[in-house]
Amino acid sequence: MNNQNPFEKIKLNGVKQIIVVASGKGGVGKSTVAANLAVALASEGYKTALFDADLYGPSTPILFDIENERPEIVRTAAGERYIPVKKYGVSIMSVGFFVTPKKSMIWRGPAASGVLTQLLSTTEWGETDFLIVDFPPGTGDIQLTTIQKLTLTGALIVTTPQQLALADAEKAADMFCTDKLHVPILGVVENMSYFTPALHPDEKYFVFGAGGGKQLAGTLNVPLLAQLPLICDTEVDSPQTFSISKDPILAEKFRELATTIQQKVSDKAWGFRYVKQN
């Protein structure tokens, strides 16, 4: 692993499209968006996989309620290969399957990058239409290694409407548009856009402000792909993944997002439209 060229691409045989889900800061619901997008794509008949690239705080096993599951290990002539855990039709891989729950992950950058590369290259992804990669917050070694090692279809930027979240999300977007990286930004997803009480379905409360996602999309010159409501049961009491079956409004929002992503990928309807301001 240490002898690998850091810029040599990993070939994930059978994987057609790789989409990363990123945000500039934590707490905006990036992981729940990534999880729900994967489930929605799978529900539409696409062979879908989800890779939890947040090595320091892997949350995917918690979101899918599979903390006690372990990937199957298959021994081949080339070495050990991992079979992803499958739930809701999604093939899932996370470092969270291999570490002690509630223990902190203390890795320096090179070690974390090595673990990331090993998991990606030794997982049997099989025939996969969409591989969704859930980035950790920020713009560090994990993000850089993933961008350098994989041939990415594009990136989704997740934000909430607050100005502080927008500032950090713009920094995350900037990372994809540097001279040497050039990853297309597919669009912006605004999470927790508004709250609608269950007993008052016609009312909307913009508890975190309004218009932030639209503002960010305008700055980046990319589309605002979705505005997702704040659902108390999913944001507080249970993972948003389960809203696919529990909350029809949110489920429809994610199905629409999945359809939009599929159409944009098919039409190649994106570009490097974000011009950095000096």
Side-chain angles (χ1 to χ4, degrees):
M1 189 63 62
N2 293 332
N3 294 327
Q4 283 192 349
N5 182 340
F7 296 100
E8 182 181 355
K9 295 290 186 181
I10 299 174
K11 294 181 180 179
L12 303 182
N13 295 327
V15 178
K16 298 176 183 177
Q17 311 290 345
I18 305 176
I19 296 173
V20 297
V21 180
S23 67
K25 67 187 293 95
V28 299
K30 170 189 53 59
S31 293
T32 53
V33 168
N36 274 280
L37 175 59
V39 172
L41 285 166
S43 72
E44 295 296 312
Y46 296 104
K47 296 177 181 178
T48 308
L50 176 62
F51 180 70
D52 185 356
D54 192 346
L55 303 186
Y56 298 101
S59 58
T60 298
I62 298 173
L63 286 170
F64 281 84
D65 194 26
I66 50 176
E67 291 178 274
N68 296 323
E69 300 288 337
R70 295 294 180 268
E72 180 184 351
I73 300 176
V74 177
R75 289 173 173 79
T76 68
E80 292 184 345
R81 307 285 295 178
Y82 296 105
I83 307 299
V85 175
K86 197 157 188 174
K87 191 165 185 180
Y88 302 122
V90 179
S91 298
I92 303 163
M93 180 55 68
S94 170
V95 73
F97 293 133
F98 304 97
V99 298
T100 304
K102 300 182 181 179
K103 292 291 184 180
S104 59
M105 302 293 102
I106 305 174
W107 284 324
R108 294 188 183 274
S113 297
V115 170
L116 177 83
T117 302
Q118 183 177 9
L119 274 181
L120 283 168
S121 59
T122 58
T123 296
E124 286 289 343
W125 298 107
E127 292 298 319
T128 299
D129 296 314
F130 289 94
L131 171 58
I132 307 300
V133 179
D134 178 19
F135 267 178
T139 56
D141 288 319
I142 297 301
Q143 290 87 341
L144 182 59
T145 298
T146 304
I147 294 171
Q148 289 175 338
K149 289 290 189 180
L150 298 180
T151 301
L152 302 178
T153 302
L156 293 180
I157 306 298
V158 179
T159 187
T160 48
Q162 306 102 308
Q163 290 300 312
L164 184 59
L166 298 179
D168 288 336
E170 186 172 349
K171 293 175 184 176
D174 181 82
M175 171 185 64
F176 295 109
C177 300
T178 60
D179 293 338
K180 294 183 179 180
L181 298 182
H182 288 306
V183 176
I185 298 176
L186 304 181
V188 172
V189 175
E190 184 185 75
N191 196 26
M192 308 182 202
S193 297
Y194 56 88
F195 169 65
T196 297
L199 299 180
H200 302 275
D202 296 328
E203 298 177 7
K204 288 185 179 181
Y205 296 91
F206 298 94
V207 293
F208 297 119
K214 183 178 180 180
Q215 176 186 331
L216 178 63
T219 299
L220 303 180
N221 196 22
V222 299
L224 175 61
L225 299 178
Q227 291 178 293
L228 306 174
L230 173 66
I231 306 296
C232 281
D233 286 345
T234 57
E235 297 292 345
V236 178
D237 297 328
S238 62
Q240 203 169 23
T241 301
F242 304 129
S243 68
I244 293 297
S245 59
K246 285 189 175 182
D247 187 85
I249 295 176
L250 199 53
E252 182 59 28
K253 290 282 189 181
F254 278 112
R255 280 192 290 269
E256 291 174 358
L257 177 59
T259 298
T260 300
I261 292 297
Q262 191 277 329
Q263 290 173 344
K264 287 177 71 65
V265 167
S266 297
D267 299 338
K268 297 188 181 299
W270 63 80
F272 304 108
R273 292 175 286 181
Y274 176 35
V275 179
K276 294 194 292 181
Q277 302 296 319
N278 294 325

